[in-house]
Amino acid sequence: MNAYMRGKTATQTKSARLATIARTHTSGLCALGLALVPAYASAQQTAGQSARGALESGDIIVTAQKREERLRDVPVPVTAVSASTLTDQNQTRAQDFFSNVPGVNVQFQNNRARLTIRGITTSPVTGNPVIGYTVDDAPYGSSTGQSGLFGSAPDLDPSDLERIEVLRGPQGTLYGASSIGGLVKYITTDPDLKEVRGTVAVGTNTIRGAGQALGYNVRGAINLPLGETFAIRASAFTRHDPGYIDNVVSGEKNVNSGTATGGRLSALWKPSETFSVKLGALYQNRDVFGSSNVDPRLGFGSGFLQADEIGAGHGNGKQQQYSAVINAGFGGVDLTSVTAYSRSTNYDLVDNTASGLTGFLFPLVYPQANGEFGNVLRKGYGLKKFSQEMRLAGSVGGAFDWIVGGFYTHEKIDYTLHPNATNPNTGAVYGIPLIWVDDLTFKEYAVFGNMTARLSDIFDVQFGARYSKNRQILTHREWITFAPDSEYAYSIVSPRSKGNSFTFQVTPRLKLSVDHMIYARLATGYRPGGPNAVCDPGVLPCQFDPDKVINYELGAKGELLGQALSYDLSLYNIDWKDIQITQRIGAFSFGTNGGKARSRGVEIALESRPVDGLTLAVWGAYNDAILRESFVTSLLYTAKGDRLPFSSRYSGRFSFNYEAPLTGEATGSIGASVAYIGNRKGEFVDTEQTAPLRQTYPSYMEVGMTAGVKWDDWKVNFFVQNLTNRRGVAGGGYLNQTSQNPNWFYYIQPRTVGLSIEKQF
């Protein structure tokens, strides 16, 4: 499946054939030629059939339920994206490929992508994360919104990955907190004990509006066996993304360019078939040199334009993750231990001139500026996280499969705000009149279990439960400078909070035949509450509570006409209560709970392989996510029946891909896709008077094309993204009191044309 894993020798030919089979079974369920793997229905994998045997038969193996299974056997709506497909199509950023997954919408802010799955969100900056992320089963990112990133999707380069799995709907039983909307699993490539092999790839692209600026990427990987039981794998990449937005204030062209570099080192020790240790170290550094926001009031005659303050727009993110995964078998019982430590530091420089500080506090502190101020806000986020999961899995007489385990995480989070008072004409900094510093400690303990009971040859039921508790301590500090040479500590508080939660799931599955399956799924999820920096019992709550969802789902998967046609259908209804929201009293904002919502919809995917080499795929999704209760705060105004933000009611995609021999050893391919993203609502507004001004992001269609040639150890791919150069709106235009600028909008990337060349050895 992974491009790096296909070799050149006669021994490797079998792997190449298996990769071709896997690609034949992948679905094009996303735009721009991105191939997604639908979950097909099939017979339950027998007790004696190993995952290796399934792989050799061409099946796709996933770990959605924390054990290796054929994708078509998993009674969960899962989409699997192969890393080789991502690199072939230059899908190297989160916003490039997640927006093409059924039921998933991407909202872009501060140069980071935030996901909405099945409509479960109320704001990009309200409450704790609603989507969970793991890397090799180790949780990635913070469990709370206090880190400032609010659950934004990791931007891991595909060169480090084997595949990405997207699980739709709540996954609280096996994966815990902050997965009430769904979960994204990043699976890295394991070292291979058998062969020395590797790959080197280079690529370039040009974006409409970038002028002569070209993007490029270079990536490479090598696998080295060191004996029969030990191997290492190393990969590295560097990437430059050209900018295409001009700043009319500074006069700079292509301000939103960016670079990313990183790599991964992994080692595998496997002295026997029943014991292995995998160590991994991941590092990435990402620089963005200007914001991607666009001010449509400036027009589009000369391309995308913005009017950010001088000095705003730059951002940097550094991510490190170290992990140890131990697998051991003890007479029919398998032990898995996942230990991880991660560290990340991020900052953004944001134009915050629209805030009240600019006209109120700045003139008091810096009267010599004669009232001319810019406000460039530096937002810094830091996270240190340790996690440990231990689980046991086994079977009882072929009638029961079970998993039990425990989980612990300890997080140290810091969040800083420095609003720089600047000269709007030169960008010179007068000073920092206000400093906000939050330090949060988050600890969580959990136990969980899952059991599948096979009641007959065609019917089984899966049960799962999880109990967790968390403790949090927040230290909040503020300083206000009343003169350039003096400081005053405004407040120092240390509120605490605690909480616990019980989640469960029940999933009956009926195998109508070896090719058809129907399943039902009752599953719950939660995200933890947390402490408020400002606390006054009876007036301001000292903490906000968890919110919870319960998902009712019916699915069907299967194959017809001798596997020439496959289908995957899901119908769901999600009830959401105690929604986490933000309120304000005076100058203080705080978290609380209020209101109910529900999300219901249908997702269907069809794939046909009418002749050898040709794959036709189509998917469509309907999602109706609305509030069931209205609530009004000093930050948000909502009414019963209002749509939740950022999700399309209607979306879909059609694609085709054709692969055929050319001459000699060469094989050619060509493909195209068209995706439809329906209109979406923006963030909730702050008053009833502004309710008619709540943003509606128009629908748009996006077209992509691909073509490629493979021969021997070489592969050349040509791609076009956003062929018709549509200006699809991806977010922005906020109108509530936390908005930095209601005239900022984020658009999908203009037409991009590129070429990549890969050599395997």
Side-chain angles (χ1 to χ4, degrees), residues 144 408-411 413 440-445 467-474 495-501 526 528-531 543:
T144 79
Y408 168 75
T409 185
H410 181 280
E411 303 175 20
I413 303 154
L440 178 69
T441 299
F442 177 92
K443 296 181 181 180
E444 184 182 49
Y445 307 82
Y467 176 78
S468 62
K469 54 194 262 184
N470 69 80
R471 300 290 183 267
Q472 301 180 54
I473 302 174
L474 172 65
R496 300 172 179 242
S497 74
K498 60 182 180 179
N500 58 73
S501 183
Y526 86 105
Q543 71 177 72

PDB file of all heavy atoms in Angstrom, residues 144 408-411 413 440-445 467-474 495-501 526 528-531 543:
ATOM      1  N   THR A 144      -7.540  19.387  26.107  1.00  0.00           N
ATOM      2  CA  THR A 144      -8.298  20.586  26.444  1.00  0.00           C
ATOM      3  C   THR A 144      -8.070  21.672  25.403  1.00  0.00           C
ATOM      4  O   THR A 144      -7.095  21.650  24.651  1.00  0.00           O
ATOM      5  CB  THR A 144      -7.886  21.137  27.825  1.00  0.00           C
ATOM      6  OG1 THR A 144      -6.660  21.857  27.705  1.00  0.00           O
ATOM      7  CG2 THR A 144      -7.731  20.017  28.836  1.00  0.00           C
ATOM      8  N   TYR A 408      -3.633   6.258  31.104  1.00  0.00           N
ATOM      9  CA  TYR A 408      -3.257   7.395  31.958  1.00  0.00           C
ATOM     10  C   TYR A 408      -2.600   8.463  31.083  1.00  0.00           C
ATOM     11  O   TYR A 408      -1.817   8.139  30.171  1.00  0.00           O
ATOM     12  CB  TYR A 408      -2.274   6.964  33.042  1.00  0.00           C
ATOM     13  CG  TYR A 408      -1.615   8.119  33.777  1.00  0.00           C
ATOM     14  CD1 TYR A 408      -2.327   8.857  34.722  1.00  0.00           C
ATOM     15  CD2 TYR A 408      -0.291   8.465  33.522  1.00  0.00           C
ATOM     16  CE1 TYR A 408      -1.726   9.919  35.388  1.00  0.00           C
ATOM     17  CE2 TYR A 408       0.321   9.515  34.195  1.00  0.00           C
ATOM     18  CZ  TYR A 408      -0.405  10.239  35.127  1.00  0.00           C
ATOM     19  OH  TYR A 408       0.178  11.291  35.788  1.00  0.00           O
ATOM     20  N   THR A 409      -2.915   9.707  31.332  1.00  0.00           N
ATOM     21  CA  THR A 409      -2.241  10.808  30.650  1.00  0.00           C
ATOM     22  C   THR A 409      -1.980  11.940  31.631  1.00  0.00           C
ATOM     23  O   THR A 409      -2.788  12.192  32.542  1.00  0.00           O
ATOM     24  CB  THR A 409      -3.055  11.331  29.447  1.00  0.00           C
ATOM     25  OG1 THR A 409      -2.292  12.326  28.758  1.00  0.00           O
ATOM     26  CG2 THR A 409      -4.359  11.958  29.889  1.00  0.00           C
ATOM     27  N   HIS A 410      -0.843  12.611  31.438  1.00  0.00           N
ATOM     28  CA  HIS A 410      -0.457  13.769  32.234  1.00  0.00           C
ATOM     29  C   HIS A 410      -0.007  14.853  31.262  1.00  0.00           C
ATOM     30  O   HIS A 410       0.929  14.640  30.483  1.00  0.00           O
ATOM     31  CB  HIS A 410       0.663  13.411  33.209  1.00  0.00           C
ATOM     32  CG  HIS A 410       1.094  14.548  34.089  1.00  0.00           C
ATOM     33  ND1 HIS A 410       1.945  15.541  33.657  1.00  0.00           N
ATOM     34  CD2 HIS A 410       0.779  14.852  35.375  1.00  0.00           C
ATOM     35  CE1 HIS A 410       2.151  16.408  34.643  1.00  0.00           C
ATOM     36  NE2 HIS A 410       1.447  16.011  35.687  1.00  0.00           N
ATOM     37  N   GLU A 411      -0.681  16.004  31.313  1.00  0.00           N
ATOM     38  CA  GLU A 411      -0.394  17.080  30.371  1.00  0.00           C
ATOM     39  C   GLU A 411      -0.049  18.366  31.112  1.00  0.00           C
ATOM     40  O   GLU A 411      -0.719  18.723  32.091  1.00  0.00           O
ATOM     41  CB  GLU A 411      -1.595  17.324  29.453  1.00  0.00           C
ATOM     42  CG  GLU A 411      -2.045  16.093  28.683  1.00  0.00           C
ATOM     43  CD  GLU A 411      -3.312  16.328  27.878  1.00  0.00           C
ATOM     44  OE1 GLU A 411      -3.628  17.513  27.607  1.00  0.00           O
ATOM     45  OE2 GLU A 411      -3.986  15.346  27.533  1.00  0.00           O
ATOM     46  N   ILE A 413       0.312  22.282  30.099  1.00  0.00           N
ATOM     47  CA  ILE A 413      -0.083  23.153  28.991  1.00  0.00           C
ATOM     48  C   ILE A 413       0.176  24.600  29.380  1.00  0.00           C
ATOM     49  O   ILE A 413      -0.117  25.012  30.510  1.00  0.00           O
ATOM     50  CB  ILE A 413      -1.579  22.971  28.670  1.00  0.00           C
ATOM     51  CG1 ILE A 413      -1.871  21.501  28.357  1.00  0.00           C
ATOM     52  CG2 ILE A 413      -2.018  23.862  27.529  1.00  0.00           C
ATOM     53  CD1 ILE A 413      -3.299  21.104  28.639  1.00  0.00           C
ATOM     54  N   LEU A 440      -1.788  25.058  32.760  1.00  0.00           N
ATOM     55  CA  LEU A 440      -2.787  24.066  33.134  1.00  0.00           C
ATOM     56  C   LEU A 440      -2.141  22.695  33.255  1.00  0.00           C
ATOM     57  O   LEU A 440      -1.345  22.284  32.402  1.00  0.00           O
ATOM     58  CB  LEU A 440      -3.904  24.009  32.085  1.00  0.00           C
ATOM     59  CG  LEU A 440      -5.008  22.964  32.315  1.00  0.00           C
ATOM     60  CD1 LEU A 440      -5.855  23.334  33.521  1.00  0.00           C
ATOM     61  CD2 LEU A 440      -5.876  22.796  31.075  1.00  0.00           C
ATOM     62  N   THR A 441      -2.478  21.990  34.321  1.00  0.00           N
ATOM     63  CA  THR A 441      -2.100  20.591  34.480  1.00  0.00           C
ATOM     64  C   THR A 441      -3.357  19.740  34.348  1.00  0.00           C
ATOM     65  O   THR A 441      -4.355  19.986  35.030  1.00  0.00           O
ATOM     66  CB  THR A 441      -1.441  20.334  35.843  1.00  0.00           C
ATOM     67  OG1 THR A 441      -0.253  21.124  35.949  1.00  0.00           O
ATOM     68  CG2 THR A 441      -1.075  18.871  35.993  1.00  0.00           C
ATOM     69  N   PHE A 442      -3.303  18.765  33.451  1.00  0.00           N
ATOM     70  CA  PHE A 442      -4.444  17.885  33.197  1.00  0.00           C
ATOM     71  C   PHE A 442      -3.991  16.448  33.420  1.00  0.00           C
ATOM     72  O   PHE A 442      -2.998  15.996  32.846  1.00  0.00           O
ATOM     73  CB  PHE A 442      -4.945  18.065  31.766  1.00  0.00           C
ATOM     74  CG  PHE A 442      -6.082  17.148  31.376  1.00  0.00           C
ATOM     75  CD1 PHE A 442      -7.397  17.552  31.531  1.00  0.00           C
ATOM     76  CD2 PHE A 442      -5.832  15.887  30.851  1.00  0.00           C
ATOM     77  CE1 PHE A 442      -8.446  16.710  31.165  1.00  0.00           C
ATOM     78  CE2 PHE A 442      -6.863  15.039  30.484  1.00  0.00           C
ATOM     79  CZ  PHE A 442      -8.180  15.456  30.647  1.00  0.00           C
ATOM     80  N   LYS A 443      -4.727  15.701  34.261  1.00  0.00           N
ATOM     81  CA  LYS A 443      -4.464  14.288  34.493  1.00  0.00           C
ATOM     82  C   LYS A 443      -5.758  13.512  34.280  1.00  0.00           C
ATOM     83  O   LYS A 443      -6.819  13.938  34.727  1.00  0.00           O
ATOM     84  CB  LYS A 443      -3.957  14.034  35.914  1.00  0.00           C
ATOM     85  CG  LYS A 443      -2.615  14.659  36.238  1.00  0.00           C
ATOM     86  CD  LYS A 443      -2.202  14.329  37.667  1.00  0.00           C
ATOM     87  CE  LYS A 443      -0.878  14.970  38.033  1.00  0.00           C
ATOM     88  NZ  LYS A 443      -0.478  14.648  39.431  1.00  0.00           N
ATOM     89  N   GLU A 444      -5.628  12.376  33.622  1.00  0.00           N
ATOM     90  CA  GLU A 444      -6.804  11.521  33.417  1.00  0.00           C
ATOM     91  C   GLU A 444      -6.411  10.060  33.619  1.00  0.00           C
ATOM     92  O   GLU A 444      -5.339   9.619  33.188  1.00  0.00           O
ATOM     93  CB  GLU A 444      -7.393  11.705  32.022  1.00  0.00           C
ATOM     94  CG  GLU A 444      -8.684  10.901  31.822  1.00  0.00           C
ATOM     95  CD  GLU A 444      -9.257  11.030  30.432  1.00  0.00           C
ATOM     96  OE1 GLU A 444      -8.500  10.860  29.462  1.00  0.00           O
ATOM     97  OE2 GLU A 444     -10.466  11.288  30.312  1.00  0.00           O
ATOM     98  N   TYR A 445      -7.312   9.314  34.268  1.00  0.00           N
ATOM     99  CA  TYR A 445      -7.179   7.876  34.469  1.00  0.00           C
ATOM    100  C   TYR A 445      -8.422   7.216  33.876  1.00  0.00           C
ATOM    101  O   TYR A 445      -9.537   7.735  34.023  1.00  0.00           O
ATOM    102  CB  TYR A 445      -7.089   7.525  35.951  1.00  0.00           C
ATOM    103  CG  TYR A 445      -6.032   8.279  36.727  1.00  0.00           C
ATOM    104  CD1 TYR A 445      -6.284   9.561  37.204  1.00  0.00           C
ATOM    105  CD2 TYR A 445      -4.792   7.703  36.988  1.00  0.00           C
ATOM    106  CE1 TYR A 445      -5.327  10.255  37.931  1.00  0.00           C
ATOM    107  CE2 TYR A 445      -3.825   8.388  37.718  1.00  0.00           C
ATOM    108  CZ  TYR A 445      -4.103   9.666  38.183  1.00  0.00           C
ATOM    109  OH  TYR A 445      -3.146  10.347  38.897  1.00  0.00           O
ATOM    110  N   TYR A 467     -14.699   3.873  31.834  1.00  0.00           N
ATOM    111  CA  TYR A 467     -14.879   4.808  32.944  1.00  0.00           C
ATOM    112  C   TYR A 467     -13.597   5.620  33.088  1.00  0.00           C
ATOM    113  O   TYR A 467     -12.492   5.059  33.073  1.00  0.00           O
ATOM    114  CB  TYR A 467     -15.176   4.087  34.255  1.00  0.00           C
ATOM    115  CG  TYR A 467     -15.260   5.031  35.440  1.00  0.00           C
ATOM    116  CD1 TYR A 467     -16.400   5.796  35.652  1.00  0.00           C
ATOM    117  CD2 TYR A 467     -14.181   5.177  36.309  1.00  0.00           C
ATOM    118  CE1 TYR A 467     -16.476   6.681  36.720  1.00  0.00           C
ATOM    119  CE2 TYR A 467     -14.251   6.051  37.386  1.00  0.00           C
ATOM    120  CZ  TYR A 467     -15.401   6.806  37.583  1.00  0.00           C
ATOM    121  OH  TYR A 467     -15.477   7.688  38.629  1.00  0.00           O
ATOM    122  N   SER A 468     -13.743   6.934  33.222  1.00  0.00           N
ATOM    123  CA  SER A 468     -12.576   7.801  33.332  1.00  0.00           C
ATOM    124  C   SER A 468     -12.837   8.905  34.338  1.00  0.00           C
ATOM    125  O   SER A 468     -13.989   9.282  34.595  1.00  0.00           O
ATOM    126  CB  SER A 468     -12.223   8.405  31.968  1.00  0.00           C
ATOM    127  OG  SER A 468     -13.282   9.207  31.490  1.00  0.00           O
ATOM    128  N   LYS A 469     -11.761   9.419  34.897  1.00  0.00           N
ATOM    129  CA  LYS A 469     -11.837  10.584  35.780  1.00  0.00           C
ATOM    130  C   LYS A 469     -10.627  11.462  35.520  1.00  0.00           C
ATOM    131  O   LYS A 469      -9.550  10.969  35.168  1.00  0.00           O
ATOM    132  CB  LYS A 469     -11.900  10.166  37.247  1.00  0.00           C
ATOM    133  CG  LYS A 469     -10.790   9.260  37.695  1.00  0.00           C
ATOM    134  CD  LYS A 469     -11.120   8.628  39.051  1.00  0.00           C
ATOM    135  CE  LYS A 469     -10.461   9.376  40.178  1.00  0.00           C
ATOM    136  NZ  LYS A 469     -10.673   8.747  41.494  1.00  0.00           N
ATOM    137  N   ASN A 470     -10.820  12.757  35.668  1.00  0.00           N
ATOM    138  CA  ASN A 470      -9.723  13.684  35.418  1.00  0.00           C
ATOM    139  C   ASN A 470      -9.642  14.727  36.521  1.00  0.00           C
ATOM    140  O   ASN A 470     -10.629  15.022  37.200  1.00  0.00           O
ATOM    141  CB  ASN A 470      -9.873  14.357  34.049  1.00  0.00           C
ATOM    142  CG  ASN A 470     -11.053  15.325  33.986  1.00  0.00           C
ATOM    143  OD1 ASN A 470     -10.976  16.454  34.445  1.00  0.00           O
ATOM    144  ND2 ASN A 470     -12.158  14.858  33.397  1.00  0.00           N
ATOM    145  N   ARG A 471      -8.442  15.285  36.676  1.00  0.00           N
ATOM    146  CA  ARG A 471      -8.162  16.363  37.620  1.00  0.00           C
ATOM    147  C   ARG A 471      -7.399  17.449  36.876  1.00  0.00           C
ATOM    148  O   ARG A 471      -6.455  17.161  36.132  1.00  0.00           O
ATOM    149  CB  ARG A 471      -7.334  15.850  38.808  1.00  0.00           C
ATOM    150  CG  ARG A 471      -8.003  14.736  39.615  1.00  0.00           C
ATOM    151  CD  ARG A 471      -9.196  15.277  40.387  1.00  0.00           C
ATOM    152  NE  ARG A 471      -9.802  14.243  41.225  1.00  0.00           N
ATOM    153  CZ  ARG A 471     -10.799  13.475  40.841  1.00  0.00           C
ATOM    154  NH1 ARG A 471     -11.276  13.586  39.604  1.00  0.00           N
ATOM    155  NH2 ARG A 471     -11.323  12.571  41.657  1.00  0.00           N
ATOM    156  N   GLN A 472      -7.787  18.706  37.111  1.00  0.00           N
ATOM    157  CA  GLN A 472      -7.150  19.818  36.419  1.00  0.00           C
ATOM    158  C   GLN A 472      -6.848  20.949  37.392  1.00  0.00           C
ATOM    159  O   GLN A 472      -7.649  21.241  38.286  1.00  0.00           O
ATOM    160  CB  GLN A 472      -8.051  20.348  35.294  1.00  0.00           C
ATOM    161  CG  GLN A 472      -8.413  19.299  34.250  1.00  0.00           C
ATOM    162  CD  GLN A 472      -9.307  19.851  33.168  1.00  0.00           C
ATOM    163  OE1 GLN A 472      -8.989  20.857  32.526  1.00  0.00           O
ATOM    164  NE2 GLN A 472     -10.450  19.193  32.950  1.00  0.00           N
ATOM    165  N   ILE A 473      -5.686  21.582  37.202  1.00  0.00           N
ATOM    166  CA  ILE A 473      -5.290  22.757  37.978  1.00  0.00           C
ATOM    167  C   ILE A 473      -4.853  23.828  36.986  1.00  0.00           C
ATOM    168  O   ILE A 473      -3.965  23.601  36.161  1.00  0.00           O
ATOM    169  CB  ILE A 473      -4.139  22.451  38.949  1.00  0.00           C
ATOM    170  CG1 ILE A 473      -4.515  21.333  39.912  1.00  0.00           C
ATOM    171  CG2 ILE A 473      -3.754  23.704  39.732  1.00  0.00           C
ATOM    172  CD1 ILE A 473      -3.368  20.896  40.808  1.00  0.00           C
ATOM    173  N   LEU A 474      -5.477  24.987  37.065  1.00  0.00           N
ATOM    174  CA  LEU A 474      -5.171  26.104  36.173  1.00  0.00           C
ATOM    175  C   LEU A 474      -4.566  27.248  36.971  1.00  0.00           C
ATOM    176  O   LEU A 474      -5.141  27.677  37.986  1.00  0.00           O
ATOM    177  CB  LEU A 474      -6.442  26.574  35.462  1.00  0.00           C
ATOM    178  CG  LEU A 474      -6.329  27.865  34.644  1.00  0.00           C
ATOM    179  CD1 LEU A 474      -5.378  27.690  33.472  1.00  0.00           C
ATOM    180  CD2 LEU A 474      -7.709  28.309  34.159  1.00  0.00           C
ATOM    181  N   PRO A 495      -7.557  28.158  39.959  1.00  0.00           N
ATOM    182  CA  PRO A 495      -8.766  27.334  40.107  1.00  0.00           C
ATOM    183  C   PRO A 495      -8.485  25.873  39.755  1.00  0.00           C
ATOM    184  O   PRO A 495      -7.535  25.551  39.035  1.00  0.00           O
ATOM    185  CB  PRO A 495      -9.738  27.962  39.108  1.00  0.00           C
ATOM    186  CG  PRO A 495      -8.855  28.577  38.076  1.00  0.00           C
ATOM    187  CD  PRO A 495      -7.638  29.058  38.806  1.00  0.00           C
ATOM    188  N   ARG A 496      -9.324  24.990  40.268  1.00  0.00           N
ATOM    189  CA  ARG A 496      -9.213  23.558  40.024  1.00  0.00           C
ATOM    190  C   ARG A 496     -10.549  23.005  39.550  1.00  0.00           C
ATOM    191  O   ARG A 496     -11.592  23.616  39.778  1.00  0.00           O
ATOM    192  CB  ARG A 496      -8.781  22.818  41.293  1.00  0.00           C
ATOM    193  CG  ARG A 496      -7.439  23.268  41.837  1.00  0.00           C
ATOM    194  CD  ARG A 496      -7.158  22.654  43.197  1.00  0.00           C
ATOM    195  NE  ARG A 496      -5.862  23.075  43.705  1.00  0.00           N
ATOM    196  CZ  ARG A 496      -4.859  22.258  43.970  1.00  0.00           C
ATOM    197  NH1 ARG A 496      -5.005  20.961  43.791  1.00  0.00           N
ATOM    198  NH2 ARG A 496      -3.712  22.716  44.421  1.00  0.00           N
ATOM    199  N   SER A 497     -10.489  21.848  38.924  1.00  0.00           N
ATOM    200  CA  SER A 497     -11.726  21.163  38.548  1.00  0.00           C
ATOM    201  C   SER A 497     -11.462  19.671  38.535  1.00  0.00           C
ATOM    202  O   SER A 497     -10.323  19.215  38.468  1.00  0.00           O
ATOM    203  CB  SER A 497     -12.217  21.619  37.167  1.00  0.00           C
ATOM    204  OG  SER A 497     -11.421  21.074  36.145  1.00  0.00           O
ATOM    205  N   LYS A 498     -12.540  18.914  38.606  1.00  0.00           N
ATOM    206  CA  LYS A 498     -12.455  17.467  38.494  1.00  0.00           C
ATOM    207  C   LYS A 498     -13.728  16.963  37.836  1.00  0.00           C
ATOM    208  O   LYS A 498     -14.780  17.621  37.860  1.00  0.00           O
ATOM    209  CB  LYS A 498     -12.252  16.813  39.848  1.00  0.00           C
ATOM    210  CG  LYS A 498     -13.358  17.071  40.860  1.00  0.00           C
ATOM    211  CD  LYS A 498     -13.028  16.416  42.186  1.00  0.00           C
ATOM    212  CE  LYS A 498     -14.142  16.679  43.220  1.00  0.00           C
ATOM    213  NZ  LYS A 498     -13.824  16.014  44.513  1.00  0.00           N
ATOM    214  N   GLY A 499     -13.640  15.804  37.238  1.00  0.00           N
ATOM    215  CA  GLY A 499     -14.806  15.236  36.584  1.00  0.00           C
ATOM    216  C   GLY A 499     -14.600  13.768  36.301  1.00  0.00           C
ATOM    217  O   GLY A 499     -13.491  13.236  36.385  1.00  0.00           O
ATOM    218  N   ASN A 500     -15.686  13.091  35.981  1.00  0.00           N
ATOM    219  CA  ASN A 500     -15.615  11.685  35.605  1.00  0.00           C
ATOM    220  C   ASN A 500     -16.690  11.409  34.569  1.00  0.00           C
ATOM    221  O   ASN A 500     -17.642  12.198  34.410  1.00  0.00           O
ATOM    222  CB  ASN A 500     -15.768  10.769  36.824  1.00  0.00           C
ATOM    223  CG  ASN A 500     -17.067  11.011  37.558  1.00  0.00           C
ATOM    224  OD1 ASN A 500     -18.141  10.641  37.090  1.00  0.00           O
ATOM    225  ND2 ASN A 500     -16.992  11.649  38.716  1.00  0.00           N
ATOM    226  N   SER A 501     -16.539  10.300  33.874  1.00  0.00           N
ATOM    227  CA  SER A 501     -17.501   9.986  32.829  1.00  0.00           C
ATOM    228  C   SER A 501     -17.539   8.487  32.583  1.00  0.00           C
ATOM    229  O   SER A 501     -16.543   7.777  32.775  1.00  0.00           O
ATOM    230  CB  SER A 501     -17.138  10.709  31.535  1.00  0.00           C
ATOM    231  OG  SER A 501     -18.100  10.458  30.532  1.00  0.00           O
ATOM    232  N   TYR A 526     -17.795  11.602  25.162  1.00  0.00           N
ATOM    233  CA  TYR A 526     -17.791  12.787  26.012  1.00  0.00           C
ATOM    234  C   TYR A 526     -16.495  13.562  25.790  1.00  0.00           C
ATOM    235  O   TYR A 526     -15.515  13.047  25.233  1.00  0.00           O
ATOM    236  CB  TYR A 526     -17.888  12.394  27.487  1.00  0.00           C
ATOM    237  CG  TYR A 526     -16.550  12.080  28.122  1.00  0.00           C
ATOM    238  CD1 TYR A 526     -15.946  12.990  28.986  1.00  0.00           C
ATOM    239  CD2 TYR A 526     -15.873  10.902  27.835  1.00  0.00           C
ATOM    240  CE1 TYR A 526     -14.711  12.715  29.548  1.00  0.00           C
ATOM    241  CE2 TYR A 526     -14.653  10.623  28.397  1.00  0.00           C
ATOM    242  CZ  TYR A 526     -14.067  11.529  29.257  1.00  0.00           C
ATOM    243  OH  TYR A 526     -12.838  11.266  29.797  1.00  0.00           O
ATOM    244  N   PRO A 528     -14.082  16.266  28.304  1.00  0.00           N
ATOM    245  CA  PRO A 528     -14.027  16.726  29.695  1.00  0.00           C
ATOM    246  C   PRO A 528     -14.375  18.198  29.817  1.00  0.00           C
ATOM    247  O   PRO A 528     -14.247  18.973  28.862  1.00  0.00           O
ATOM    248  CB  PRO A 528     -12.571  16.467  30.090  1.00  0.00           C
ATOM    249  CG  PRO A 528     -11.824  16.490  28.799  1.00  0.00           C
ATOM    250  CD  PRO A 528     -12.761  15.923  27.776  1.00  0.00           C
ATOM    251  N   GLY A 529     -14.832  18.559  31.019  1.00  0.00           N
ATOM    252  CA  GLY A 529     -15.003  19.971  31.335  1.00  0.00           C
ATOM    253  C   GLY A 529     -13.663  20.572  31.719  1.00  0.00           C
ATOM    254  O   GLY A 529     -12.603  20.087  31.318  1.00  0.00           O
ATOM    255  N   GLY A 530     -13.710  21.618  32.554  1.00  0.00           N
ATOM    256  CA  GLY A 530     -12.459  22.248  32.957  1.00  0.00           C
ATOM    257  C   GLY A 530     -12.691  23.420  33.875  1.00  0.00           C
ATOM    258  O   GLY A 530     -13.828  23.860  34.095  1.00  0.00           O
ATOM    259  N   PRO A 531     -11.609  23.968  34.448  1.00  0.00           N
ATOM    260  CA  PRO A 531     -11.725  25.113  35.354  1.00  0.00           C
ATOM    261  C   PRO A 531     -11.822  26.428  34.588  1.00  0.00           C
ATOM    262  O   PRO A 531     -11.368  26.536  33.444  1.00  0.00           O
ATOM    263  CB  PRO A 531     -10.418  25.045  36.149  1.00  0.00           C
ATOM    264  CG  PRO A 531      -9.445  24.444  35.189  1.00  0.00           C
ATOM    265  CD  PRO A 531     -10.229  23.471  34.350  1.00  0.00           C
ATOM    266  N   GLN A 543     -16.095  25.931  37.347  1.00  0.00           N
ATOM    267  CA  GLN A 543     -15.737  24.989  36.302  1.00  0.00           C
ATOM    268  C   GLN A 543     -16.930  24.771  35.381  1.00  0.00           C
ATOM    269  O   GLN A 543     -18.071  25.049  35.743  1.00  0.00           O
ATOM    270  CB  GLN A 543     -15.272  23.657  36.887  1.00  0.00           C
ATOM    271  CG  GLN A 543     -16.376  22.822  37.532  1.00  0.00           C
ATOM    272  CD  GLN A 543     -15.863  21.474  38.017  1.00  0.00           C
ATOM    273  OE1 GLN A 543     -15.152  21.404  38.998  1.00  0.00           O
ATOM    274  NE2 GLN A 543     -16.226  20.411  37.317  1.00  0.00           N
TER     275      GLN A 543
END
